[in-house]
Amino acid sequence: MLIRITDKEKLIALVLRKDFSRPGINFLTEDRSSLQVGTISHPANYVIPAHDHQINARMIEDTQEVLVLRRGRVRVDFFTEARVYIESVVMDAGDILLLISGGHGFKALEEIDMVEIKTGPYMETRDKTRFEADYPPELKIRD
């Protein structure tokens, strides 16, 4: 299952459940996205030819990140770019989160262990702004 979090037409995040699978190579992000995320699923003995990647100058203006939840459960809260709450998703071990735009926050529902991958070089004092979240009385939680 693939969950798309949006603000109108703007993609905020993708949650890739651990059981998501599509045959072949499938990129989940748009070609212009500064962080490309896709899935690869091939049968036994399928050969991906040896290759390398060339150096190409790129200009990255945003910070996107991927979180892999290795252990535990976590609630992820999503916000628009104007910092308005959209909804929350509960992630389980094995799920993957791609944060593309807008804001986000987390609440560990169990002890968690995550891997974080983001565009760089990362400069926390210039790339991150914390804000007070204005949550509705009842969260809109999608499991």
Side-chain angles (χ1 to χ4, degrees):
M1 175 188 216
L2 179 66
I3 298 173
R4 296 173 59 84
I5 308 297
T6 59
D7 174 26
K8 298 178 182 71
E9 298 298 315
K10 186 160 184 71
L11 186 59
I12 301 294
L14 294 172
V15 179
L16 184 65
R17 296 294 190 193
K18 63 183 169 189
D19 59 354
F20 177 85
S21 182
R22 285 185 189 156
I25 299 172
N26 298 279
F27 276 87
L28 308 173
T29 51
E30 296 178 0
D31 289 344
R32 67 175 194 255
S33 183
S34 63
L35 187 61
Q36 299 291 303
V37 175
T39 62
I40 302 172
S41 180
H42 294 302
N45 298 316
Y46 183 94
V47 175
I48 298 172
H51 63 281
D52 59 17
H53 297 266
Q54 305 306 305
I55 295 173
N56 288 299
R58 292 176 174 88
M59 178 177 231
I60 297 175
E61 296 177 338
D62 60 350
T63 301
Q64 295 185 5
E65 57 189 313
V66 172
L67 295 168
V68 179
L69 184 58
R70 298 185 333 159
R71 184 170 39 89
R73 293 181 79 226
V74 64
R75 187 189 79 212
V76 187
D77 305 318
F78 299 100
F79 300 86
T80 68
E81 289 181 344
R83 301 178 177 168
V84 175
Y85 174 78
I86 301 171
E87 67 179 293
S88 300
V89 172
V90 174
M91 291 178 53
D92 295 305
D95 291 345
I96 299 170
L97 171 64
L98 171 58
L99 296 163
I100 297 167
S101 64
H104 49 273
F106 304 91
K107 180 177 183 181
L109 303 176
E110 299 174 1
E111 185 174 310
I112 60 172
D113 179 16
M114 293 193 289
V115 172
E116 180 178 21
I117 304 157
K118 66 174 67 177
T119 51
Y122 181 69
M123 300 167 281
E124 184 167 353
T125 58
R126 292 178 54 195
D127 290 336
K128 182 185 287 190
T129 303
R130 290 184 171 82
F131 60 92
E132 285 295 320
D134 187 19
Y135 290 97
E138 288 190 28
L139 296 180
K140 296 177 271 183
I141 299 179
R142 192 186 327 182
D143 281 323

mmCIF file of all heavy atoms in Angstrom, residues 93-141:
data_model
loop_
_atom_site.group_PDB
_atom_site.id
_atom_site.type_symbol
_atom_site.label_atom_id
_atom_site.label_comp_id
_atom_site.label_asym_id
_atom_site.label_seq_id
_atom_site.Cartn_x
_atom_site.Cartn_y
_atom_site.Cartn_z
ATOM 1 N N ALA A 93 7.050 -0.973 11.969
ATOM 2 C CA ALA A 93 8.387 -1.401 11.555
ATOM 3 C C ALA A 93 8.347 -1.922 10.127
ATOM 4 O O ALA A 93 7.449 -2.685 9.754
ATOM 5 C CB ALA A 93 8.909 -2.470 12.501
ATOM 6 N N GLY A 94 9.290 -1.467 9.318
ATOM 7 C CA GLY A 94 9.371 -1.862 7.922
ATOM 8 C C GLY A 94 8.788 -0.841 6.965
ATOM 9 O O GLY A 94 9.058 -0.888 5.770
ATOM 10 N N ASP A 95 7.979 0.089 7.471
ATOM 11 C CA ASP A 95 7.412 1.141 6.622
ATOM 12 C C ASP A 95 8.476 2.188 6.303
ATOM 13 O O ASP A 95 9.433 2.380 7.065
ATOM 14 C CB ASP A 95 6.225 1.821 7.306
ATOM 15 C CG ASP A 95 5.006 0.922 7.433
ATOM 16 O OD1 ASP A 95 4.941 -0.128 6.756
ATOM 17 O OD2 ASP A 95 4.105 1.272 8.219
ATOM 18 N N ILE A 96 8.290 2.868 5.177
ATOM 19 C CA ILE A 96 9.227 3.900 4.723
ATOM 20 C C ILE A 96 8.447 5.179 4.468
ATOM 21 O O ILE A 96 7.350 5.149 3.913
ATOM 22 C CB ILE A 96 9.942 3.456 3.434
ATOM 23 C CG1 ILE A 96 10.754 2.171 3.700
ATOM 24 C CG2 ILE A 96 10.841 4.566 2.892
ATOM 25 C CD1 ILE A 96 11.296 1.525 2.442
ATOM 26 N N LEU A 97 9.009 6.306 4.872
ATOM 27 C CA LEU A 97 8.375 7.612 4.725
ATOM 28 C C LEU A 97 9.259 8.519 3.883
ATOM 29 O O LEU A 97 10.450 8.640 4.149
ATOM 30 C CB LEU A 97 8.164 8.227 6.112
ATOM 31 C CG LEU A 97 7.699 9.675 6.195
ATOM 32 C CD1 LEU A 97 6.307 9.834 5.594
ATOM 33 C CD2 LEU A 97 7.721 10.149 7.641
ATOM 34 N N LEU A 98 8.669 9.140 2.876
ATOM 35 C CA LEU A 98 9.369 10.153 2.090
ATOM 36 C C LEU A 98 8.718 11.494 2.370
ATOM 37 O O LEU A 98 7.536 11.685 2.100
ATOM 38 C CB LEU A 98 9.290 9.830 0.586
ATOM 39 C CG LEU A 98 9.788 10.927 -0.356
ATOM 40 C CD1 LEU A 98 11.231 11.295 -0.079
ATOM 41 C CD2 LEU A 98 9.611 10.506 -1.807
ATOM 42 N N LEU A 99 9.466 12.410 2.952
ATOM 43 C CA LEU A 99 8.987 13.757 3.266
ATOM 44 C C LEU A 99 9.442 14.687 2.151
ATOM 45 O O LEU A 99 10.644 14.864 1.931
ATOM 46 C CB LEU A 99 9.521 14.200 4.621
ATOM 47 C CG LEU A 99 9.008 13.338 5.782
ATOM 48 C CD1 LEU A 99 9.855 13.533 7.027
ATOM 49 C CD2 LEU A 99 7.552 13.637 6.053
ATOM 50 N N ILE A 100 8.472 15.296 1.456
ATOM 51 C CA ILE A 100 8.768 16.064 0.256
ATOM 52 C C ILE A 100 8.632 17.559 0.496
ATOM 53 O O ILE A 100 9.482 18.343 0.104
ATOM 54 C CB ILE A 100 7.830 15.606 -0.889
ATOM 55 C CG1 ILE A 100 8.118 14.134 -1.190
ATOM 56 C CG2 ILE A 100 7.986 16.482 -2.122
ATOM 57 C CD1 ILE A 100 7.094 13.468 -2.066
ATOM 58 N N SER A 101 7.547 17.972 1.132
ATOM 59 C CA SER A 101 7.320 19.397 1.384
ATOM 60 C C SER A 101 6.459 19.549 2.628
ATOM 61 O O SER A 101 6.072 18.564 3.249
ATOM 62 C CB SER A 101 6.652 20.060 0.168
ATOM 63 O OG SER A 101 5.364 19.509 -0.054
ATOM 64 N N GLY A 102 6.138 20.776 2.987
ATOM 65 C CA GLY A 102 5.315 21.014 4.171
ATOM 66 C C GLY A 102 6.088 20.724 5.448
ATOM 67 O O GLY A 102 7.311 20.635 5.455
ATOM 68 N N GLY A 103 5.341 20.567 6.544
ATOM 69 C CA GLY A 103 5.961 20.292 7.838
ATOM 70 C C GLY A 103 5.578 18.918 8.337
ATOM 71 O O GLY A 103 4.676 18.263 7.808
ATOM 72 N N HIS A 104 6.266 18.482 9.376
ATOM 73 C CA HIS A 104 6.003 17.172 9.949
ATOM 74 C C HIS A 104 6.479 17.129 11.392
ATOM 75 O O HIS A 104 7.342 17.903 11.799
ATOM 76 C CB HIS A 104 6.684 16.065 9.130
ATOM 77 C CG HIS A 104 8.123 16.353 8.838
ATOM 78 N ND1 HIS A 104 8.506 17.085 7.733
ATOM 79 C CD2 HIS A 104 9.257 16.058 9.496
ATOM 80 C CE1 HIS A 104 9.824 17.195 7.720
ATOM 81 N NE2 HIS A 104 10.312 16.578 8.791
ATOM 82 N N GLY A 105 5.889 16.233 12.156
ATOM 83 C CA GLY A 105 6.286 15.982 13.534
ATOM 84 C C GLY A 105 6.053 14.511 13.835
ATOM 85 O O GLY A 105 5.366 13.817 13.080
ATOM 86 N N PHE A 106 6.612 14.049 14.930
ATOM 87 C CA PHE A 106 6.551 12.625 15.245
ATOM 88 C C PHE A 106 6.227 12.403 16.718
ATOM 89 O O PHE A 106 6.638 13.190 17.569
ATOM 90 C CB PHE A 106 7.911 11.964 14.971
ATOM 91 C CG PHE A 106 8.405 12.158 13.570
ATOM 92 C CD1 PHE A 106 9.214 13.232 13.253
ATOM 93 C CD2 PHE A 106 8.059 11.278 12.568
ATOM 94 C CE1 PHE A 106 9.674 13.434 11.963
ATOM 95 C CE2 PHE A 106 8.510 11.460 11.277
ATOM 96 C CZ PHE A 106 9.319 12.544 10.980
ATOM 97 N N LYS A 107 5.524 11.316 16.995
ATOM 98 C CA LYS A 107 5.330 10.849 18.367
ATOM 99 C C LYS A 107 5.606 9.353 18.372
ATOM 100 O O LYS A 107 4.913 8.579 17.692
ATOM 101 C CB LYS A 107 3.912 11.112 18.865
ATOM 102 C CG LYS A 107 3.729 10.619 20.297
ATOM 103 C CD LYS A 107 2.377 10.929 20.863
ATOM 104 C CE LYS A 107 2.338 10.447 22.316
ATOM 105 N NZ LYS A 107 1.030 10.700 22.911
ATOM 106 N N ALA A 108 6.621 8.930 19.136
ATOM 107 C CA ALA A 108 6.949 7.515 19.253
ATOM 108 C C ALA A 108 5.860 6.835 20.078
ATOM 109 O O ALA A 108 5.634 7.201 21.225
ATOM 110 C CB ALA A 108 8.316 7.334 19.899
ATOM 111 N N LEU A 109 5.168 5.863 19.491
ATOM 112 C CA LEU A 109 4.125 5.120 20.195
ATOM 113 C C LEU A 109 4.713 3.920 20.921
ATOM 114 O O LEU A 109 4.098 3.366 21.826
ATOM 115 C CB LEU A 109 3.041 4.669 19.211
ATOM 116 C CG LEU A 109 2.380 5.806 18.419
ATOM 117 C CD1 LEU A 109 1.393 5.254 17.404
ATOM 118 C CD2 LEU A 109 1.702 6.798 19.360
ATOM 119 N N GLU A 110 5.884 3.508 20.478
ATOM 120 C CA GLU A 110 6.704 2.476 21.107
ATOM 121 C C GLU A 110 8.150 2.939 20.945
ATOM 122 O O GLU A 110 8.402 3.925 20.255
ATOM 123 C CB GLU A 110 6.546 1.129 20.393
ATOM 124 C CG GLU A 110 5.151 0.560 20.389
ATOM 125 C CD GLU A 110 5.023 -0.698 19.536
ATOM 126 O OE1 GLU A 110 6.033 -1.151 18.939
ATOM 127 O OE2 GLU A 110 3.912 -1.222 19.465
ATOM 128 N N GLU A 111 9.068 2.232 21.557
ATOM 129 C CA GLU A 111 10.480 2.551 21.336
ATOM 130 C C GLU A 111 10.767 2.359 19.854
ATOM 131 O O GLU A 111 10.373 1.354 19.261
ATOM 132 C CB GLU A 111 11.358 1.619 22.170
ATOM 133 C CG GLU A 111 12.813 1.962 22.087
ATOM 134 C CD GLU A 111 13.650 1.110 23.027
ATOM 135 O OE1 GLU A 111 13.298 1.018 24.216
ATOM 136 O OE2 GLU A 111 14.647 0.544 22.541
ATOM 137 N N ILE A 112 11.419 3.350 19.239
ATOM 138 C CA ILE A 112 11.636 3.297 17.792
ATOM 139 C C ILE A 112 13.122 3.305 17.441
ATOM 140 O O ILE A 112 13.965 3.771 18.213
ATOM 141 C CB ILE A 112 10.938 4.466 17.053
ATOM 142 C CG1 ILE A 112 11.465 5.818 17.536
ATOM 143 C CG2 ILE A 112 9.436 4.358 17.182
ATOM 144 C CD1 ILE A 112 10.968 7.003 16.713
ATOM 145 N N ASP A 113 13.393 2.793 16.251
ATOM 146 C CA ASP A 113 14.725 2.825 15.656
ATOM 147 C C ASP A 113 14.499 3.128 14.178
ATOM 148 O O ASP A 113 13.834 2.361 13.478
ATOM 149 C CB ASP A 113 15.414 1.470 15.840
ATOM 150 C CG ASP A 113 16.793 1.424 15.221
ATOM 151 O OD1 ASP A 113 17.369 2.494 14.915
ATOM 152 O OD2 ASP A 113 17.308 0.310 15.006
ATOM 153 N N MET A 114 14.991 4.292 13.723
ATOM 154 C CA MET A 114 14.782 4.720 12.337
ATOM 155 C C MET A 114 16.112 5.036 11.674
ATOM 156 O O MET A 114 17.072 5.406 12.341
ATOM 157 C CB MET A 114 13.917 5.984 12.268
ATOM 158 C CG MET A 114 12.499 5.797 12.705
ATOM 159 S SD MET A 114 11.406 7.179 12.258
ATOM 160 C CE MET A 114 11.957 8.475 13.347
ATOM 161 N N VAL A 115 16.123 4.912 10.358
ATOM 162 C CA VAL A 115 17.239 5.365 9.538
ATOM 163 C C VAL A 115 16.739 6.593 8.778
ATOM 164 O O VAL A 115 15.640 6.573 8.219
ATOM 165 C CB VAL A 115 17.683 4.279 8.536
ATOM 166 C CG1 VAL A 115 18.722 4.834 7.568
ATOM 167 C CG2 VAL A 115 18.219 3.063 9.270
ATOM 168 N N GLU A 116 17.538 7.667 8.767
ATOM 169 C CA GLU A 116 17.181 8.898 8.072
ATOM 170 C C GLU A 116 18.154 9.137 6.930
ATOM 171 O O GLU A 116 19.365 9.068 7.110
ATOM 172 C CB GLU A 116 17.212 10.079 9.042
ATOM 173 C CG GLU A 116 16.845 11.391 8.406
ATOM 174 C CD GLU A 116 16.827 12.545 9.410
ATOM 175 O OE1 GLU A 116 17.457 12.435 10.480
ATOM 176 O OE2 GLU A 116 16.180 13.556 9.105
ATOM 177 N N ILE A 117 17.593 9.437 5.758
ATOM 178 C CA ILE A 117 18.386 9.746 4.568
ATOM 179 C C ILE A 117 17.844 11.059 4.030
ATOM 180 O O ILE A 117 16.636 11.191 3.838
ATOM 181 C CB ILE A 117 18.223 8.647 3.500
ATOM 182 C CG1 ILE A 117 18.591 7.279 4.077
ATOM 183 C CG2 ILE A 117 19.026 8.975 2.245
ATOM 184 C CD1 ILE A 117 17.969 6.124 3.338
ATOM 185 N N LYS A 118 18.711 12.049 3.836
ATOM 186 C CA LYS A 118 18.218 13.335 3.328
ATOM 187 C C LYS A 118 19.198 13.962 2.367
ATOM 188 O O LYS A 118 20.363 13.573 2.301
ATOM 189 C CB LYS A 118 17.890 14.303 4.467
ATOM 190 C CG LYS A 118 19.071 14.767 5.277
ATOM 191 C CD LYS A 118 18.700 15.823 6.295
ATOM 192 C CE LYS A 118 17.814 15.271 7.358
ATOM 193 N NZ LYS A 118 17.464 16.189 8.409
ATOM 194 N N THR A 119 18.685 14.936 1.618
ATOM 195 C CA THR A 119 19.553 15.656 0.706
ATOM 196 C C THR A 119 20.577 16.436 1.521
ATOM 197 O O THR A 119 20.334 16.818 2.654
ATOM 198 C CB THR A 119 18.738 16.620 -0.180
ATOM 199 O OG1 THR A 119 17.903 17.431 0.647
ATOM 200 C CG2 THR A 119 17.866 15.864 -1.152
ATOM 201 N N GLY A 120 21.709 16.665 0.945
ATOM 202 C CA GLY A 120 22.756 17.369 1.663
ATOM 203 C C GLY A 120 23.537 18.262 0.707
ATOM 204 O O GLY A 120 23.226 18.299 -0.471
ATOM 205 N N PRO A 121 24.523 18.963 1.212
ATOM 206 C CA PRO A 121 24.922 18.980 2.621
ATOM 207 C C PRO A 121 23.841 19.622 3.486
ATOM 208 O O PRO A 121 23.192 20.585 3.071
ATOM 209 C CB PRO A 121 26.205 19.800 2.640
ATOM 210 C CG PRO A 121 26.187 20.607 1.390
ATOM 211 C CD PRO A 121 25.340 19.861 0.395
ATOM 212 N N TYR A 122 23.644 19.055 4.670
ATOM 213 C CA TYR A 122 22.584 19.500 5.570
ATOM 214 C C TYR A 122 23.144 20.488 6.585
ATOM 215 O O TYR A 122 24.167 20.233 7.209
ATOM 216 C CB TYR A 122 21.982 18.294 6.298
ATOM 217 C CG TYR A 122 20.861 18.664 7.225
ATOM 218 C CD1 TYR A 122 19.648 19.112 6.721
ATOM 219 C CD2 TYR A 122 21.025 18.594 8.597
ATOM 220 C CE1 TYR A 122 18.616 19.467 7.565
ATOM 221 C CE2 TYR A 122 19.999 18.941 9.454
ATOM 222 C CZ TYR A 122 18.797 19.379 8.934
ATOM 223 O OH TYR A 122 17.781 19.732 9.765
ATOM 224 N N MET A 123 22.456 21.619 6.728
ATOM 225 C CA MET A 123 22.859 22.659 7.680
ATOM 226 C C MET A 123 21.666 22.941 8.590
ATOM 227 O O MET A 123 20.780 23.722 8.220
ATOM 228 C CB MET A 123 23.283 23.917 6.928
ATOM 229 C CG MET A 123 24.460 23.690 5.989
ATOM 230 S SD MET A 123 24.710 25.050 4.845
ATOM 231 C CE MET A 123 23.433 24.707 3.635
ATOM 232 N N GLU A 124 21.621 22.302 9.751
ATOM 233 C CA GLU A 124 20.437 22.366 10.613
ATOM 234 C C GLU A 124 19.980 23.780 10.919
ATOM 235 O O GLU A 124 18.794 24.069 10.874
ATOM 236 C CB GLU A 124 20.672 21.606 11.920
ATOM 237 C CG GLU A 124 19.421 21.583 12.778
ATOM 238 C CD GLU A 124 19.483 20.613 13.923
ATOM 239 O OE1 GLU A 124 20.440 19.831 14.012
ATOM 240 O OE2 GLU A 124 18.553 20.637 14.738
ATOM 241 N N THR A 125 20.892 24.691 11.197
ATOM 242 C CA THR A 125 20.472 26.054 11.565
ATOM 243 C C THR A 125 19.860 26.815 10.388
ATOM 244 O O THR A 125 19.108 27.756 10.597
ATOM 245 C CB THR A 125 21.657 26.861 12.141
ATOM 246 O OG1 THR A 125 22.710 26.895 11.164
ATOM 247 C CG2 THR A 125 22.167 26.240 13.433
ATOM 248 N N ARG A 126 20.149 26.381 9.150
ATOM 249 C CA ARG A 126 19.578 27.047 7.971
ATOM 250 C C ARG A 126 18.473 26.234 7.309
ATOM 251 O O ARG A 126 17.653 26.781 6.583
ATOM 252 C CB ARG A 126 20.685 27.320 6.947
ATOM 253 C CG ARG A 126 21.661 28.379 7.457
ATOM 254 C CD ARG A 126 22.787 28.645 6.499
ATOM 255 N NE ARG A 126 22.300 28.989 5.156
ATOM 256 C CZ ARG A 126 23.065 28.981 4.080
ATOM 257 N NH1 ARG A 126 24.330 28.647 4.184
ATOM 258 N NH2 ARG A 126 22.586 29.299 2.910
ATOM 259 N N ASP A 127 18.451 24.929 7.547
ATOM 260 C CA ASP A 127 17.519 24.048 6.846
ATOM 261 C C ASP A 127 16.285 23.665 7.658
ATOM 262 O O ASP A 127 15.346 23.110 7.098
ATOM 263 C CB ASP A 127 18.228 22.757 6.416
ATOM 264 C CG ASP A 127 19.221 23.003 5.298
ATOM 265 O OD1 ASP A 127 19.057 23.987 4.565
ATOM 266 O OD2 ASP A 127 20.161 22.202 5.153
ATOM 267 N N LYS A 128 16.277 23.907 8.957
ATOM 268 C CA LYS A 128 15.154 23.468 9.797
ATOM 269 C C LYS A 128 14.623 24.626 10.623
ATOM 270 O O LYS A 128 15.391 25.361 11.229
ATOM 271 C CB LYS A 128 15.618 22.353 10.744
ATOM 272 C CG LYS A 128 14.509 21.798 11.627
ATOM 273 C CD LYS A 128 15.024 20.771 12.639
ATOM 274 C CE LYS A 128 15.360 19.500 11.942
ATOM 275 N NZ LYS A 128 15.632 18.397 12.877
ATOM 276 N N THR A 129 13.288 24.768 10.642
ATOM 277 C CA THR A 129 12.622 25.749 11.504
ATOM 278 C C THR A 129 11.569 25.019 12.313
ATOM 279 O O THR A 129 10.642 24.430 11.745
ATOM 280 C CB THR A 129 11.942 26.865 10.669
ATOM 281 O OG1 THR A 129 12.924 27.483 9.838
ATOM 282 C CG2 THR A 129 11.313 27.903 11.578
ATOM 283 N N ARG A 130 11.700 25.036 13.612
ATOM 284 C CA ARG A 130 10.691 24.413 14.476
ATOM 285 C C ARG A 130 9.522 25.376 14.648
ATOM 286 O O ARG A 130 9.707 26.587 14.632
ATOM 287 C CB ARG A 130 11.304 24.053 15.820
ATOM 288 C CG ARG A 130 12.294 22.902 15.691
ATOM 289 C CD ARG A 130 12.846 22.474 17.048
ATOM 290 N NE ARG A 130 13.623 21.254 16.941
ATOM 291 C CZ ARG A 130 14.885 21.176 16.553
ATOM 292 N NH1 ARG A 130 15.541 22.271 16.226
ATOM 293 N NH2 ARG A 130 15.510 20.023 16.485
ATOM 294 N N PHE A 131 8.307 24.824 14.806
ATOM 295 C CA PHE A 131 7.128 25.663 15.006
ATOM 296 C C PHE A 131 6.166 24.982 15.963
ATOM 297 O O PHE A 131 6.209 23.765 16.138
ATOM 298 C CB PHE A 131 6.443 25.998 13.676
ATOM 299 C CG PHE A 131 5.963 24.806 12.883
ATOM 300 C CD1 PHE A 131 4.664 24.326 13.041
ATOM 301 C CD2 PHE A 131 6.791 24.184 11.960
ATOM 302 C CE1 PHE A 131 4.214 23.241 12.303
ATOM 303 C CE2 PHE A 131 6.349 23.103 11.220
ATOM 304 C CZ PHE A 131 5.055 22.629 11.392
ATOM 305 N N GLU A 132 5.334 25.787 16.621
ATOM 306 C CA GLU A 132 4.300 25.258 17.511
ATOM 307 C C GLU A 132 3.161 24.735 16.646
ATOM 308 O O GLU A 132 2.570 25.478 15.874
ATOM 309 C CB GLU A 132 3.778 26.351 18.454
ATOM 310 C CG GLU A 132 4.730 26.705 19.572
ATOM 311 C CD GLU A 132 4.959 25.541 20.544
ATOM 312 O OE1 GLU A 132 3.985 24.814 20.871
ATOM 313 O OE2 GLU A 132 6.112 25.361 20.966
ATOM 314 N N ALA A 133 2.858 23.463 16.791
ATOM 315 C CA ALA A 133 1.801 22.845 15.995
ATOM 316 C C ALA A 133 0.442 23.121 16.615
ATOM 317 O O ALA A 133 0.269 23.008 17.824
ATOM 318 C CB ALA A 133 2.041 21.343 15.904
ATOM 319 N N ASP A 134 -0.499 23.491 15.774
ATOM 320 C CA ASP A 134 -1.870 23.734 16.208
ATOM 321 C C ASP A 134 -2.717 22.542 15.772
ATOM 322 O O ASP A 134 -3.191 22.476 14.645
ATOM 323 C CB ASP A 134 -2.391 25.035 15.581
ATOM 324 C CG ASP A 134 -3.752 25.427 16.124
ATOM 325 O OD1 ASP A 134 -4.139 24.927 17.203
ATOM 326 O OD2 ASP A 134 -4.433 26.227 15.464
ATOM 327 N N TYR A 135 -2.868 21.576 16.694
ATOM 328 C CA TYR A 135 -3.610 20.361 16.384
ATOM 329 C C TYR A 135 -5.101 20.560 16.637
ATOM 330 O O TYR A 135 -5.489 21.268 17.558
ATOM 331 C CB TYR A 135 -3.128 19.203 17.271
ATOM 332 C CG TYR A 135 -1.751 18.719 16.953
ATOM 333 C CD1 TYR A 135 -0.648 19.167 17.673
ATOM 334 C CD2 TYR A 135 -1.537 17.793 15.937
ATOM 335 C CE1 TYR A 135 0.629 18.706 17.388
ATOM 336 C CE2 TYR A 135 -0.266 17.331 15.646
ATOM 337 C CZ TYR A 135 0.812 17.788 16.379
ATOM 338 O OH TYR A 135 2.067 17.329 16.088
ATOM 339 N N PRO A 136 -5.951 19.893 15.829
ATOM 340 C CA PRO A 136 -7.391 19.938 16.111
ATOM 341 C C PRO A 136 -7.690 19.095 17.350
ATOM 342 O O PRO A 136 -6.861 18.286 17.774
ATOM 343 C CB PRO A 136 -8.010 19.310 14.854
ATOM 344 C CG PRO A 136 -6.926 18.415 14.305
ATOM 345 C CD PRO A 136 -5.628 19.087 14.654
ATOM 346 N N PRO A 137 -8.884 19.244 17.940
ATOM 347 C CA PRO A 137 -9.220 18.459 19.140
ATOM 348 C C PRO A 137 -9.090 16.952 18.915
ATOM 349 O O PRO A 137 -8.651 16.230 19.791
ATOM 350 C CB PRO A 137 -10.668 18.837 19.443
ATOM 351 C CG PRO A 137 -10.887 20.126 18.731
ATOM 352 C CD PRO A 137 -9.935 20.156 17.557
ATOM 353 N N GLU A 138 -9.461 16.486 17.731
ATOM 354 C CA GLU A 138 -9.299 15.066 17.398
ATOM 355 C C GLU A 138 -8.399 14.957 16.170
ATOM 356 O O GLU A 138 -8.678 15.541 15.138
ATOM 357 C CB GLU A 138 -10.645 14.413 17.103
ATOM 358 C CG GLU A 138 -11.494 14.221 18.337
ATOM 359 C CD GLU A 138 -12.708 13.353 18.036
ATOM 360 O OE1 GLU A 138 -12.656 12.508 17.122
ATOM 361 O OE2 GLU A 138 -13.708 13.554 18.737
ATOM 362 N N LEU A 139 -7.310 14.201 16.316
ATOM 363 C CA LEU A 139 -6.412 14.002 15.189
ATOM 364 C C LEU A 139 -7.087 13.156 14.129
ATOM 365 O O LEU A 139 -7.883 12.265 14.449
ATOM 366 C CB LEU A 139 -5.135 13.310 15.652
ATOM 367 C CG LEU A 139 -4.253 14.068 16.641
ATOM 368 C CD1 LEU A 139 -3.031 13.233 16.986
ATOM 369 C CD2 LEU A 139 -3.840 15.413 16.093
ATOM 370 N N LYS A 140 -6.761 13.433 12.866
ATOM 371 C CA LYS A 140 -7.221 12.596 11.759
ATOM 372 C C LYS A 140 -6.119 11.568 11.496
ATOM 373 O O LYS A 140 -5.147 11.867 10.814
ATOM 374 C CB LYS A 140 -7.471 13.453 10.519
ATOM 375 C CG LYS A 140 -8.584 14.463 10.685
ATOM 376 C CD LYS A 140 -8.726 15.311 9.439
ATOM 377 C CE LYS A 140 -7.809 16.503 9.578
ATOM 378 N NZ LYS A 140 -7.864 17.468 8.505
ATOM 379 N N ILE A 141 -6.276 10.394 12.096
ATOM 380 C CA ILE A 141 -5.222 9.372 12.005
ATOM 381 C C ILE A 141 -5.605 8.315 10.978
ATOM 382 O O ILE A 141 -6.652 7.705 11.046
ATOM 383 C CB ILE A 141 -4.956 8.724 13.372
ATOM 384 C CG1 ILE A 141 -4.488 9.802 14.359
ATOM 385 C CG2 ILE A 141 -3.915 7.606 13.232
ATOM 386 C CD1 ILE A 141 -4.223 9.310 15.740
#
